[in-house]
Amino acid sequence: MNHLKLVDFPLNAFDKVRYADTDRQGHVNNSTFSTYLETGRVEFLYNKDFNLPDEGADFVIAALDLKFLDEIAWPGTVEIGTGIVTIGNSSVKIFQKLFQNGICVATAETIIVQTKNNKSLPLSDAAKEILKQWIIKV
């Protein structure tokens, strides 16, 4: 997993590091790493060009395994690499890396599930086909 660079990911996004993201020591707070990961996921999950969720459905996080590798400093930006690891019936496993100034600062595996009325909902065949184009090997 550590061999993947930002250019190796099929989906790339970025986020601005805000002063409000920092803690008392002047480093970006650990909880904000999850916000950056969310930016990378939401940009494709809810992109109107892809129409991934079924009508009235949402994606929820079932699991998140986040590993902190380095600090993120303010001011600056964070680059987010995102790829799909596996596609299940109603779930998707996503692998992401956060980078600042070319250095990997975190990795994360997230399992998301499509839900409707608080129950899992199978992904459509069309959604699975779209997701397949972003599969990476980790």
Side-chain angles (χ1 to χ4, degrees):
M1 287 189 249
N2 286 333
H3 67 283
L4 293 173
K5 297 178 176 63
L6 184 62
V7 297
D8 297 324
F9 286 89
L11 299 160
N12 288 272
F14 73 94
D15 215 340
K16 182 177 183 176
V17 179
R18 296 162 292 279
Y19 178 75
D21 296 342
T22 61
D23 58 20
R24 291 179 59 173
Q25 290 81 33
H27 307 117
V28 169
N29 189 295
N30 290 349
S31 64
T32 307
F33 281 61
S34 293
T35 301
Y36 300 143
L37 294 168
E38 179 183 65
T39 296
R41 288 190 311 270
V42 169
E43 283 197 9
F44 77 93
L45 288 175
Y46 291 105
N47 185 314
K48 298 292 186 202
D49 292 338
F50 306 131
N51 292 317
L52 291 175
D54 282 5
E55 183 71 32
D58 287 304
F59 290 110
V60 298
I61 294 176
L64 171 63
D65 181 14
L66 171 57
K67 294 185 176 29
F68 300 101
L69 305 175
D70 208 339
E71 298 173 347
I72 297 175
W74 173 85
T77 58
V78 174
E79 295 80 30
I80 308 143
T82 303
I84 305 299
V85 179
T86 58
I87 303 167
N89 185 46
S90 60
S91 65
V92 179
K93 183 187 274 187
I94 300 169
F95 180 71
Q96 295 176 285
K97 279 189 169 186
L98 299 179
F99 298 86
Q100 187 175 46
N101 302 320
I103 297 168
C104 180
V105 296
T107 64
E109 280 193 0
T110 307
I111 297 173
I112 59 163
V113 178
Q114 180 176 242
T115 64
K116 187 172 184 178
N117 300 324
N118 296 321
K119 295 184 180 188
S120 65
L121 178 68
L123 296 162
S124 69
D125 290 338
K128 288 180 182 180
E129 285 302 312
I130 292 169
L131 291 165
K132 283 180 187 177
Q133 70 182 326
W134 301 316
I135 288 182
I136 59 170
K137 294 185 182 195
V138 292

